Each structure stands twice: as C-alpha cells, then as structure tokens.
Amino acid sequence: MEPLISLQLLKPREVYRPGDLLQAEYQIDAVDPQEMVAVETSVLWCTEGKGDEDLGVHFFERRTPADADEGDLRCLYRFQTKLPHSPLSYAGTIVKIRWCVRLRLFLRKSKDLLFERPFVLTSL
C-alpha cells in the first residue's frame, strides 16, 4: 500500500498575486515512520511546450526525522513563502508557465513518491 498524502493550499482559491503569502500544509499517513528518510517541499515554476523546458525553484525545504517531534515526519506540517513578482502563470499555445507546490517523499525500501498541487500566479 502506498502512503496517503494530503497536500493542501490554505487559501480557499488557487489564484495568487505577486507578493502574496502562500501557505500550505501536508500530512502523511499509511506508512511506518521508520520507513521515511526525508520529505522535501518546494514551490516552483516550470515551462511546458516547444523547445527546452525550464524550471525554477522559489522555495525549498528538506526535513528528516531529526527535524520532527519524536522523529515522526507524518504529523501535520505547515510552511509558507512570499511569492515573487515573476514569472507569472501563462497558458499560451506554444509555451505554458505553471506554478505548483511539490512534495517529495523519500522511503527506505521503495521508490520516491512525488505529489503536486498546482496554483496560478497572476497580476490580474
């Protein structure tokens, strides 16, 4: 059985403006805490479409059992970051720029698991 991951943005809408405070939280269940090596959270943008794809990391945090109460990374954890002024989300026909909150879970005896929660960064 794969771990159950809850990754939520704390703002009711998924549209943000430059300079807004993005707050998110996650909780992990259905996994033995001893199997968890680390949890990484990031806020990033990437391009999709023709040509080379780019990626930029705005926020990054890595937590290991040594960083958590009683070494348990499964507990509810909140993080936040102030969003930058660019690049803004863009949905063109040739290229797209998308933003997301990404959670990567590293386990001892199985592959890493990746979860994303998209959002829009716009000045409108």
Side-chain angles (χ1 to χ4, degrees), residues 38-52:
V39 176
E40 291 179 352
T41 50
S42 52
V43 176
L44 57 95
W45 61 269
C46 63
T47 60
E48 297 173 349
K50 291 191 175 188
D52 294 335

Side-chain angles (χ1 to χ4, degrees), residues 19-55:
D20 279 356
L21 187 65
L22 181 139
Q23 297 176 304
E25 67 182 16
Y26 67 85
Q27 187 168 6
I28 303 167
D29 202 4
V31 63
D32 184 336
Q34 304 301 320
E35 291 299 312
M36 298 175 65
V37 175
V39 176
E40 291 179 352
T41 50
S42 52
V43 176
L44 57 95
W45 61 269
C46 63
T47 60
E48 297 173 349
K50 291 191 175 188
D52 294 335
E53 293 186 358
D54 292 322
L55 179 131

